[in-house]
Amino acid sequence: MKKPLVAFLFFCFMAVSAQDSVSEISKIAASEMKSAKKKMNLEVNSNTQNYDITYHKLEFNVDPAIYFISGKITTTYTALANMNTLTFDLSNTLIVSSVKINNVSLAYTQNTNELIITLPTTQLIGTQATVEVIYSGAPPQNGFFAFTSTTHGPSNTPVIYTLSEPYGARDWWPCKQDLNDKINSIDVYITAPSQYISVSNGIEPETPIINGNLKTTHFRHNYPIPAYLICMAVTNYTIINQTAGTAPNTYPIINYIYPESDNSSLRTQILQTPLLLNYFSSLLENYPFANEKYGHAQFGWGGGMEHTTVSFMVNFGRQLIAHEMAHQWFGDKITCGTWKDIWLNEGFATYIAALVIENFDGPAAFITEKATMIASITSSANGTVYLSDAEALIVDRIFDYRLTYNKGAMVLNMLRFKLGDTVFFQGIRNYLADSNLAFKYALTPNLKSHLEAVYGSSLTEFFNDWVYNQGYPIYNITVQNTAVGQAKITVSQTTSHPSVPFFEMPVPVRLLGANGQSQDVVVNNTVNGEQFNISVPFTVIGTQFDPNKNIISRMSTATLENTNFNIDNAIQIFPNPSATSISVSIPESIEIENAVIYSVLGQKIMETKSQKSWDISSFSSGIHFITIQTNKGTKQFKFVKE
């Protein structure tokens, strides 16, 4: 019975995919960007850098019908320097009423976004302490909305949910929010009216405890986690359980759904979840949090958020599920080490979700998806994947749909195209398995190093062109039949932005014949105007540039030159002018017999036999001539030594 069931699930998967394969993705960035459209105070707080958090016990008291939170946060930390004060990030709309260490009350002050605690004595470097903070208040409603109290459904049922990326955790609990300190483990206790279901990271190690009209639900998460991925949601959820993995190595999927959304359509959609988890596990590595759970919690924002082990979802379209799920590897297991490196989270999640289209919908749908991303990227001539220091302070630049999501994803696609599937995916798996990065933080050079290690060559120029600098190439490809079974491809380019004068890339070209023949070739374009002689088993009557949409480019052209074959058209030299060397482009059917280089005064400088390139670095600057004798005739060229 397994095969018919799998076939049925796959049919259901396909039935719901077409409606959201592309349009859903445009909503994701908007969700993760939040509503912040202004420059915010996003600098890392230097006052929190002198300690390392190892554990949080977070006890929250909320009522979804009331915009208010109270709590007790117990934090165990280790001093990284001698300390006289301990500083947490915390909005001053939340009022602290007590701070204690070892049950001894401590003095403290609050300013705009800090809680500053005076320690009883100097805490020495390397020593550990545990501090307890009790607080309460209405979280700030500053346009960031890290803490939301609203309603859902026809009965206007109250709901509370959180969304802290990038720096919203301080709006609802005292924390250390940066990208260098993950908390080793957390226990979360949510006390709310007993009619509601509470959600957070990790698993429930025990059943909820009911005390009168209140219920306390305990969650434990035993993996390192940054503050912005800690979450909470409370409302009248319906729970739908599933299972992922392969027996005996299975783990639970727990879906927390608004009751009004629980229908046959939604239940069909969530059938995708175990299929996607199993696909990602085979493509990348086993689900990183398989000892706990994966799940979804429905919320009211217009997209999703990848809270570790439980993604918050506005709906259950396949591409939204895939994007937030991919974050469990890229963003949750390995987190970008600065907001300048945010593409390591979002570019990967976007591209891995696009691979779902490739593998479940087929090549044509994948080409359409890449074309959509390319159109978005090239809608402006500028913009980098990697952010500047100034850009990393602006929320809507961090979560820029065109650059962080689409260009980040297509840069990964171009790396895959350049390196090949075997090398690319092995490099990604090695990156995920690196013990210095796993459940920690990564920077762009960490990814580069892993890809270079399996590729065996430097990727510095690629990363400089495509990650750190701006723009894209505009290609002009010309193809000419040069002899029977031979064609010459000339690749020229201009660039959209002066930060990159030339993009080195493998360039894909499709050659077409009169009887429906087609041949795809890839030429490694390293200089402008470069020429390549290709064996083709038919006369070329047409050509296409990058038919599978593997390169970021705009308004590129590919044309056929109809000039009849002769020796003048068959042989060309390049580059011209040049400071170091010149080469000859020649069909395989033509053999060079002799070549002589003359100065502008007619003096012979060099003579070679059967040679296709010449070192001219020692020549004087100016005009020179080369006469090339072949088995099909003789051709003279003028070239300039720079």
Side-chain angles (χ1 to χ4, degrees), residues 309-346:
T309 73
V310 56
S311 295
F312 282 16
M313 311 285 286
V314 69
N315 62 44
F316 296 88
R318 186 190 67 183
Q319 290 310 114
L320 183 60
I321 291 177
H323 181 98
E324 305 306 339
M325 183 187 294
H327 271 310
Q328 301 297 312
W329 285 264
F330 302 100
D332 293 6
K333 179 184 179 181
I334 297 182
T335 307
C336 63
T338 74
W339 293 113
K340 297 190 292 184
D341 300 274
I342 182 63
W343 80 286
L344 296 178
N345 292 15
E346 300 303 343

mmCIF file of all heavy atoms in Angstrom, residues 309-346:
data_model
loop_
_atom_site.group_PDB
_atom_site.id
_atom_site.type_symbol
_atom_site.label_atom_id
_atom_site.label_comp_id
_atom_site.label_asym_id
_atom_site.label_seq_id
_atom_site.Cartn_x
_atom_site.Cartn_y
_atom_site.Cartn_z
ATOM 1 N N THR A 309 12.535 25.488 14.648
ATOM 2 C CA THR A 309 11.640 24.331 14.854
ATOM 3 C C THR A 309 10.165 24.647 14.640
ATOM 4 O O THR A 309 9.355 23.722 14.589
ATOM 5 C CB THR A 309 11.795 23.671 16.239
ATOM 6 O OG1 THR A 309 11.218 24.502 17.253
ATOM 7 C CG2 THR A 309 13.256 23.362 16.549
ATOM 8 N N VAL A 310 9.783 25.920 14.474
ATOM 9 C CA VAL A 310 8.365 26.240 14.264
ATOM 10 C C VAL A 310 8.257 27.531 13.444
ATOM 11 O O VAL A 310 8.389 28.629 13.981
ATOM 12 C CB VAL A 310 7.585 26.326 15.598
ATOM 13 C CG1 VAL A 310 8.213 27.323 16.561
ATOM 14 C CG2 VAL A 310 6.113 26.621 15.347
ATOM 15 N N SER A 311 8.033 27.388 12.166
ATOM 16 C CA SER A 311 7.897 28.551 11.296
ATOM 17 C C SER A 311 6.515 29.157 11.471
ATOM 18 O O SER A 311 5.510 28.439 11.475
ATOM 19 C CB SER A 311 8.102 28.139 9.829
ATOM 20 O OG SER A 311 9.425 27.692 9.616
ATOM 21 N N PHE A 312 6.469 30.478 11.601
ATOM 22 C CA PHE A 312 5.192 31.179 11.678
ATOM 23 C C PHE A 312 4.729 31.478 10.250
ATOM 24 O O PHE A 312 5.497 32.024 9.444
ATOM 25 C CB PHE A 312 5.330 32.473 12.478
ATOM 26 C CG PHE A 312 5.365 32.260 13.978
ATOM 27 C CD1 PHE A 312 5.610 31.011 14.535
ATOM 28 C CD2 PHE A 312 5.149 33.323 14.841
ATOM 29 C CE1 PHE A 312 5.642 30.824 15.915
ATOM 30 C CE2 PHE A 312 5.173 33.158 16.224
ATOM 31 C CZ PHE A 312 5.423 31.908 16.764
ATOM 32 N N MET A 313 3.476 31.147 9.935
ATOM 33 C CA MET A 313 2.996 31.153 8.554
ATOM 34 C C MET A 313 1.665 31.883 8.436
ATOM 35 O O MET A 313 0.756 31.657 9.234
ATOM 36 C CB MET A 313 2.793 29.713 8.065
ATOM 37 C CG MET A 313 3.962 28.778 8.323
ATOM 38 S SD MET A 313 5.342 29.052 7.220
ATOM 39 C CE MET A 313 4.687 28.342 5.723
ATOM 40 N N VAL A 314 1.541 32.708 7.399
ATOM 41 C CA VAL A 314 0.240 33.313 7.118
ATOM 42 C C VAL A 314 -0.655 32.347 6.358
ATOM 43 O O VAL A 314 -1.870 32.370 6.485
ATOM 44 C CB VAL A 314 0.392 34.634 6.343
ATOM 45 C CG1 VAL A 314 0.891 34.399 4.919
ATOM 46 C CG2 VAL A 314 -0.928 35.401 6.327
ATOM 47 N N ASN A 315 -0.056 31.487 5.524
ATOM 48 C CA ASN A 315 -0.798 30.455 4.815
ATOM 49 C C ASN A 315 0.150 29.299 4.538
ATOM 50 O O ASN A 315 1.289 29.293 5.011
ATOM 51 C CB ASN A 315 -1.430 31.003 3.525
ATOM 52 C CG ASN A 315 -0.387 31.505 2.538
ATOM 53 O OD1 ASN A 315 0.653 30.876 2.299
ATOM 54 N ND2 ASN A 315 -0.641 32.663 1.946
ATOM 55 N N PHE A 316 -0.289 28.331 3.754
ATOM 56 C CA PHE A 316 0.495 27.119 3.577
ATOM 57 C C PHE A 316 0.719 26.807 2.106
ATOM 58 O O PHE A 316 0.677 25.653 1.679
ATOM 59 C CB PHE A 316 -0.166 25.964 4.343
ATOM 60 C CG PHE A 316 -0.173 26.223 5.824
ATOM 61 C CD1 PHE A 316 -1.218 26.923 6.412
ATOM 62 C CD2 PHE A 316 0.896 25.853 6.608
ATOM 63 C CE1 PHE A 316 -1.202 27.214 7.763
ATOM 64 C CE2 PHE A 316 0.923 26.147 7.959
ATOM 65 C CZ PHE A 316 -0.122 26.819 8.541
ATOM 66 N N GLY A 317 0.972 27.875 1.323
ATOM 67 C CA GLY A 317 1.419 27.681 -0.044
ATOM 68 C C GLY A 317 2.757 26.956 -0.055
ATOM 69 O O GLY A 317 3.594 27.145 0.834
ATOM 70 N N ARG A 318 2.962 26.146 -1.066
ATOM 71 C CA ARG A 318 4.152 25.298 -1.087
ATOM 72 C C ARG A 318 5.443 26.091 -1.010
ATOM 73 O O ARG A 318 6.365 25.738 -0.277
ATOM 74 C CB ARG A 318 4.173 24.429 -2.354
ATOM 75 C CG ARG A 318 5.319 23.424 -2.355
ATOM 76 C CD ARG A 318 5.478 22.738 -3.696
ATOM 77 N NE ARG A 318 5.902 23.678 -4.724
ATOM 78 C CZ ARG A 318 6.051 23.344 -6.002
ATOM 79 N NH1 ARG A 318 5.772 22.112 -6.394
ATOM 80 N NH2 ARG A 318 6.449 24.235 -6.884
ATOM 81 N N GLN A 319 5.549 27.190 -1.774
ATOM 82 C CA GLN A 319 6.813 27.920 -1.806
ATOM 83 C C GLN A 319 7.089 28.648 -0.494
ATOM 84 O O GLN A 319 8.244 28.810 -0.103
ATOM 85 C CB GLN A 319 6.838 28.893 -2.986
ATOM 86 C CG GLN A 319 6.919 28.191 -4.342
ATOM 87 C CD GLN A 319 8.028 27.161 -4.415
ATOM 88 O OE1 GLN A 319 7.757 25.968 -4.545
ATOM 89 N NE2 GLN A 319 9.269 27.604 -4.334
ATOM 90 N N LEU A 320 6.049 29.072 0.197
ATOM 91 C CA LEU A 320 6.259 29.674 1.513
ATOM 92 C C LEU A 320 6.734 28.618 2.503
ATOM 93 O O LEU A 320 7.668 28.852 3.276
ATOM 94 C CB LEU A 320 4.976 30.342 2.007
ATOM 95 C CG LEU A 320 5.084 31.081 3.346
ATOM 96 C CD1 LEU A 320 6.118 32.190 3.277
ATOM 97 C CD2 LEU A 320 3.728 31.644 3.762
ATOM 98 N N ILE A 321 6.105 27.437 2.480
ATOM 99 C CA ILE A 321 6.572 26.343 3.334
ATOM 100 C C ILE A 321 8.031 26.040 3.031
ATOM 101 O O ILE A 321 8.866 25.917 3.931
ATOM 102 C CB ILE A 321 5.706 25.080 3.138
ATOM 103 C CG1 ILE A 321 4.294 25.291 3.684
ATOM 104 C CG2 ILE A 321 6.356 23.881 3.821
ATOM 105 C CD1 ILE A 321 3.364 24.105 3.467
ATOM 106 N N ALA A 322 8.365 25.932 1.736
ATOM 107 C CA ALA A 322 9.724 25.563 1.339
ATOM 108 C C ALA A 322 10.737 26.609 1.778
ATOM 109 O O ALA A 322 11.828 26.270 2.259
ATOM 110 C CB ALA A 322 9.787 25.353 -0.174
ATOM 111 N N HIS A 323 10.411 27.887 1.613
ATOM 112 C CA HIS A 323 11.341 28.954 1.976
ATOM 113 C C HIS A 323 11.640 28.945 3.473
ATOM 114 O O HIS A 323 12.809 28.960 3.889
ATOM 115 C CB HIS A 323 10.762 30.304 1.553
ATOM 116 C CG HIS A 323 11.655 31.467 1.855
ATOM 117 N ND1 HIS A 323 12.479 32.046 0.916
ATOM 118 C CD2 HIS A 323 11.862 32.176 3.004
ATOM 119 C CE1 HIS A 323 13.147 33.044 1.462
ATOM 120 N NE2 HIS A 323 12.792 33.151 2.736
ATOM 121 N N GLU A 324 10.590 28.928 4.290
ATOM 122 C CA GLU A 324 10.809 28.974 5.739
ATOM 123 C C GLU A 324 11.464 27.684 6.230
ATOM 124 O O GLU A 324 12.288 27.717 7.153
ATOM 125 C CB GLU A 324 9.488 29.229 6.464
ATOM 126 C CG GLU A 324 8.735 30.476 6.019
ATOM 127 C CD GLU A 324 9.567 31.750 6.066
ATOM 128 O OE1 GLU A 324 10.587 31.791 6.784
ATOM 129 O OE2 GLU A 324 9.207 32.712 5.370
ATOM 130 N N MET A 325 11.122 26.569 5.622
ATOM 131 C CA MET A 325 11.753 25.300 5.995
ATOM 132 C C MET A 325 13.245 25.314 5.665
ATOM 133 O O MET A 325 14.074 24.854 6.459
ATOM 134 C CB MET A 325 11.066 24.145 5.272
ATOM 135 C CG MET A 325 11.590 22.772 5.640
ATOM 136 S SD MET A 325 10.847 21.506 4.595
ATOM 137 C CE MET A 325 9.132 21.578 5.111
ATOM 138 N N ALA A 326 13.600 25.843 4.490
ATOM 139 C CA ALA A 326 15.013 25.904 4.098
ATOM 140 C C ALA A 326 15.825 26.718 5.095
ATOM 141 O O ALA A 326 17.020 26.463 5.304
ATOM 142 C CB ALA A 326 15.145 26.486 2.692
ATOM 143 N N HIS A 327 15.185 27.698 5.730
ATOM 144 C CA HIS A 327 15.864 28.503 6.744
ATOM 145 C C HIS A 327 16.314 27.672 7.944
ATOM 146 O O HIS A 327 17.225 28.095 8.678
ATOM 147 C CB HIS A 327 14.949 29.610 7.248
ATOM 148 C CG HIS A 327 15.032 30.881 6.466
ATOM 149 N ND1 HIS A 327 16.224 31.489 6.165
ATOM 150 C CD2 HIS A 327 14.053 31.681 5.945
ATOM 151 C CE1 HIS A 327 15.987 32.608 5.485
ATOM 152 N NE2 HIS A 327 14.680 32.745 5.337
ATOM 153 N N GLN A 328 15.698 26.530 8.191
ATOM 154 C CA GLN A 328 16.120 25.729 9.332
ATOM 155 C C GLN A 328 17.579 25.307 9.181
ATOM 156 O O GLN A 328 18.299 25.156 10.173
ATOM 157 C CB GLN A 328 15.212 24.502 9.491
ATOM 158 C CG GLN A 328 13.740 24.833 9.688
ATOM 159 C CD GLN A 328 13.463 25.619 10.955
ATOM 160 O OE1 GLN A 328 13.930 25.270 12.037
ATOM 161 N NE2 GLN A 328 12.685 26.693 10.836
ATOM 162 N N TRP A 329 18.024 25.144 7.926
ATOM 163 C CA TRP A 329 19.431 24.884 7.645
ATOM 164 C C TRP A 329 20.209 26.205 7.518
ATOM 165 O O TRP A 329 21.261 26.361 8.121
ATOM 166 C CB TRP A 329 19.572 24.097 6.343
ATOM 167 C CG TRP A 329 19.216 22.654 6.402
ATOM 168 C CD1 TRP A 329 20.067 21.594 6.572
ATOM 169 C CD2 TRP A 329 17.902 22.069 6.273
ATOM 170 N NE1 TRP A 329 19.386 20.411 6.555
ATOM 171 C CE2 TRP A 329 18.051 20.669 6.380
ATOM 172 C CE3 TRP A 329 16.627 22.597 6.097
ATOM 173 C CZ2 TRP A 329 16.979 19.791 6.294
ATOM 174 C CZ3 TRP A 329 15.546 21.721 6.013
ATOM 175 C CH2 TRP A 329 15.731 20.343 6.115
ATOM 176 N N PHE A 330 19.663 27.126 6.724
ATOM 177 C CA PHE A 330 20.353 28.365 6.379
ATOM 178 C C PHE A 330 19.673 29.542 7.080
ATOM 179 O O PHE A 330 18.710 30.100 6.567
ATOM 180 C CB PHE A 330 20.353 28.574 4.862
ATOM 181 C CG PHE A 330 20.994 27.441 4.106
ATOM 182 C CD1 PHE A 330 20.212 26.468 3.498
ATOM 183 C CD2 PHE A 330 22.369 27.341 4.014
ATOM 184 C CE1 PHE A 330 20.792 25.424 2.810
ATOM 185 C CE2 PHE A 330 22.962 26.299 3.325
ATOM 186 C CZ PHE A 330 22.170 25.333 2.720
ATOM 187 N N GLY A 331 20.168 29.867 8.250
ATOM 188 C CA GLY A 331 19.577 30.933 9.045
ATOM 189 C C GLY A 331 19.391 30.502 10.479
ATOM 190 O O GLY A 331 19.645 31.273 11.409
ATOM 191 N N ASP A 332 18.964 29.236 10.673
ATOM 192 C CA ASP A 332 18.726 28.741 12.026
ATOM 193 C C ASP A 332 19.882 27.867 12.508
ATOM 194 O O ASP A 332 20.453 28.121 13.558
ATOM 195 C CB ASP A 332 17.405 27.970 12.074
ATOM 196 C CG ASP A 332 16.208 28.881 11.844
ATOM 197 O OD1 ASP A 332 16.418 30.066 11.536
ATOM 198 O OD2 ASP A 332 15.062 28.412 11.959
ATOM 199 N N LYS A 333 20.246 26.836 11.719
ATOM 200 C CA LYS A 333 21.432 26.058 12.090
ATOM 201 C C LYS A 333 22.686 26.920 11.936
ATOM 202 O O LYS A 333 23.457 27.086 12.879
ATOM 203 C CB LYS A 333 21.564 24.799 11.240
ATOM 204 C CG LYS A 333 22.811 24.005 11.607
ATOM 205 C CD LYS A 333 23.034 22.797 10.729
ATOM 206 C CE LYS A 333 24.324 22.082 11.165
ATOM 207 N NZ LYS A 333 24.631 20.904 10.339
ATOM 208 N N ILE A 334 22.916 27.439 10.736
ATOM 209 C CA ILE A 334 24.008 28.383 10.503
ATOM 210 C C ILE A 334 23.379 29.744 10.241
ATOM 211 O O ILE A 334 22.601 29.898 9.297
ATOM 212 C CB ILE A 334 24.897 27.959 9.326
ATOM 213 C CG1 ILE A 334 25.588 26.620 9.636
ATOM 214 C CG2 ILE A 334 25.944 29.033 9.045
ATOM 215 C CD1 ILE A 334 26.523 26.139 8.541
ATOM 216 N N THR A 335 23.713 30.704 11.064
ATOM 217 C CA THR A 335 23.108 32.037 11.013
ATOM 218 C C THR A 335 24.127 33.030 10.474
ATOM 219 O O THR A 335 25.316 32.944 10.788
ATOM 220 C CB THR A 335 22.660 32.464 12.426
ATOM 221 O OG1 THR A 335 21.829 31.433 12.986
ATOM 222 C CG2 THR A 335 21.891 33.777 12.388
ATOM 223 N N CYS A 336 23.670 33.967 9.663
ATOM 224 C CA CYS A 336 24.579 34.994 9.156
ATOM 225 C C CYS A 336 25.235 35.723 10.329
ATOM 226 O O CYS A 336 24.583 36.083 11.305
ATOM 227 C CB CYS A 336 23.834 35.973 8.248
ATOM 228 S SG CYS A 336 22.523 36.921 9.037
ATOM 229 N N GLY A 337 26.550 35.938 10.221
ATOM 230 C CA GLY A 337 27.307 36.507 11.326
ATOM 231 C C GLY A 337 27.195 38.014 11.451
ATOM 232 O O GLY A 337 27.557 38.586 12.486
ATOM 233 N N THR A 338 26.731 38.684 10.392
ATOM 234 C CA THR A 338 26.388 40.112 10.433
ATOM 235 C C THR A 338 25.210 40.301 9.498
ATOM 236 O O THR A 338 24.953 39.472 8.626
ATOM 237 C CB THR A 338 27.554 41.019 9.970
ATOM 238 O OG1 THR A 338 27.673 40.924 8.537
ATOM 239 C CG2 THR A 338 28.875 40.635 10.624
ATOM 240 N N TRP A 339 24.514 41.424 9.638
ATOM 241 C CA TRP A 339 23.413 41.686 8.707
ATOM 242 C C TRP A 339 23.939 42.013 7.316
ATOM 243 O O TRP A 339 23.196 41.964 6.337
ATOM 244 C CB TRP A 339 22.507 42.797 9.241
ATOM 245 C CG TRP A 339 21.787 42.360 10.481
ATOM 246 C CD1 TRP A 339 21.957 42.837 11.744
ATOM 247 C CD2 TRP A 339 20.816 41.312 10.582
ATOM 248 N NE1 TRP A 339 21.158 42.154 12.624
ATOM 249 C CE2 TRP A 339 20.445 41.211 11.940
ATOM 250 C CE3 TRP A 339 20.233 40.439 9.665
ATOM 251 C CZ2 TRP A 339 19.511 40.286 12.399
ATOM 252 C CZ3 TRP A 339 19.311 39.511 10.122
ATOM 253 C CH2 TRP A 339 18.946 39.448 11.466
ATOM 254 N N LYS A 340 25.235 42.304 7.183
ATOM 255 C CA LYS A 340 25.825 42.483 5.856
ATOM 256 C C LYS A 340 25.858 41.164 5.096
ATOM 257 O O LYS A 340 25.884 41.149 3.865
ATOM 258 C CB LYS A 340 27.239 43.066 5.973
ATOM 259 C CG LYS A 340 27.289 44.448 6.604
ATOM 260 C CD LYS A 340 28.643 45.109 6.485
ATOM 261 C CE LYS A 340 29.693 44.411 7.305
ATOM 262 N NZ LYS A 340 30.986 45.127 7.259
ATOM 263 N N ASP A 341 25.842 40.050 5.833
ATOM 264 C CA ASP A 341 25.886 38.704 5.242
ATOM 265 C C ASP A 341 24.505 38.061 5.181
ATOM 266 O O ASP A 341 24.396 36.840 5.064
ATOM 267 C CB ASP A 341 26.816 37.810 6.063
ATOM 268 C CG ASP A 341 28.235 38.333 6.124
ATOM 269 O OD1 ASP A 341 29.014 38.025 5.213
ATOM 270 O OD2 ASP A 341 28.569 39.060 7.088
ATOM 271 N N ILE A 342 23.437 38.850 5.238
ATOM 272 C CA ILE A 342 22.082 38.310 5.321
ATOM 273 C C ILE A 342 21.739 37.401 4.135
ATOM 274 O O ILE A 342 20.897 36.513 4.244
ATOM 275 C CB ILE A 342 21.052 39.470 5.445
ATOM 276 C CG1 ILE A 342 19.618 38.949 5.595
ATOM 277 C CG2 ILE A 342 21.146 40.409 4.262
ATOM 278 C CD1 ILE A 342 19.382 38.142 6.850
ATOM 279 N N TRP A 343 22.438 37.559 3.004
ATOM 280 C CA TRP A 343 22.156 36.689 1.854
ATOM 281 C C TRP A 343 22.454 35.226 2.167
ATOM 282 O O TRP A 343 21.870 34.326 1.538
ATOM 283 C CB TRP A 343 22.921 37.156 0.627
ATOM 284 C CG TRP A 343 24.377 36.750 0.579
ATOM 285 C CD1 TRP A 343 25.402 37.265 1.304
ATOM 286 C CD2 TRP A 343 24.954 35.756 -0.278
ATOM 287 N NE1 TRP A 343 26.586 36.658 0.973
ATOM 288 C CE2 TRP A 343 26.345 35.724 0.005
ATOM 289 C CE3 TRP A 343 24.441 34.900 -1.239
ATOM 290 C CZ2 TRP A 343 27.219 34.859 -0.647
ATOM 291 C CZ3 TRP A 343 25.312 34.033 -1.896
ATOM 292 C CH2 TRP A 343 26.677 34.009 -1.602
ATOM 293 N N LEU A 344 23.330 34.959 3.144
ATOM 294 C CA LEU A 344 23.587 33.576 3.546
ATOM 295 C C LEU A 344 22.341 32.947 4.155
ATOM 296 O O LEU A 344 22.198 31.716 4.143
ATOM 297 C CB LEU A 344 24.746 33.518 4.544
ATOM 298 C CG LEU A 344 26.117 33.963 4.038
ATOM 299 C CD1 LEU A 344 27.142 33.883 5.157
ATOM 300 C CD2 LEU A 344 26.564 33.129 2.839
ATOM 301 N N ASN A 345 21.447 33.756 4.702
ATOM 302 C CA ASN A 345 20.133 33.271 5.140
ATOM 303 C C ASN A 345 19.133 33.289 3.991
ATOM 304 O O ASN A 345 18.562 32.268 3.611
ATOM 305 C CB ASN A 345 19.593 34.147 6.270
ATOM 306 C CG ASN A 345 20.367 34.030 7.570
ATOM 307 O OD1 ASN A 345 21.475 33.514 7.625
ATOM 308 N ND2 ASN A 345 19.781 34.544 8.638
ATOM 309 N N GLU A 346 18.914 34.482 3.430
ATOM 310 C CA GLU A 346 17.786 34.678 2.524
ATOM 311 C C GLU A 346 18.061 34.214 1.090
ATOM 312 O O GLU A 346 17.165 33.702 0.423
ATOM 313 C CB GLU A 346 17.360 36.141 2.533
ATOM 314 C CG GLU A 346 16.931 36.661 3.889
ATOM 315 C CD GLU A 346 15.789 35.870 4.515
ATOM 316 O OE1 GLU A 346 15.109 35.111 3.783
ATOM 317 O OE2 GLU A 346 15.588 35.988 5.731
#
